[in-house]
Amino acid sequence: LEELRSKIDQIDNELLAQIANRIEITREIGSYKKENEVTPFQLHRWKEILGTRKPYAKSLGLDADFTDKLLQVLHDESIKVQSSILNKK
């Protein structure tokens, strides 16, 4: 059991590091959007994300509800980060 938990711990650390990388890129996108007067939420991009990530997650055997929640949380955080950048003077 401890060995399996250790593997989970390692995967969790890797996931968090990748999420931190994703947020850093989100900050760069926010700066670009500020410079180019683009709104944080882009409906076509959100639809593209859902259209590609959900089938991929399904192919990996991930539950659809779990995938929806995970993508929504990531998207909400991205919008929050970008909005904070756009609202800075």
Side-chain angles (χ1 to χ4, degrees):
L1 183 60
E2 288 305 313
E3 184 178 327
L4 293 172
R5 286 181 175 163
S6 178
K7 289 179 181 181
I8 290 290
D9 292 345
Q10 181 180 352
I11 291 168
D12 286 349
N13 288 337
E14 292 168 8
L15 284 169
L16 292 171
Q18 287 300 323
I19 291 169
N21 289 335
R22 188 182 196 282
I23 295 299
E24 183 55 37
I25 293 168
T26 297
R27 287 185 185 98
E28 293 175 27
I29 290 170
S31 295
Y32 173 90
K33 286 181 176 181
K34 183 174 185 169
E35 291 172 13
N36 293 279
E37 299 181 5
V38 178
T39 61
F41 178 70
Q42 300 289 305
L43 181 60
H44 68 280
R45 175 64 177 154
W46 179 233
K47 287 181 178 181
E48 177 186 333
I49 289 168
L50 293 177
T52 58
R53 297 338 185 260
K54 288 172 75 170
Y56 179 63
K58 184 178 180 179
S59 77
L60 296 172
L62 296 176
D63 179 77
D65 288 336
F66 170 77
T67 300
D68 286 340
K69 289 175 188 173
L70 178 61
L71 291 173
Q72 188 65 56
V73 166
L74 290 171
H75 188 255
D76 289 348
E77 185 64 16
S78 293
I79 296 299
K80 184 176 105 179
V81 167
Q82 290 179 28
S83 293
S84 71
I85 291 169
L86 270 73
N87 292 330
K88 282 184 184 177
K89 293 186 179 191

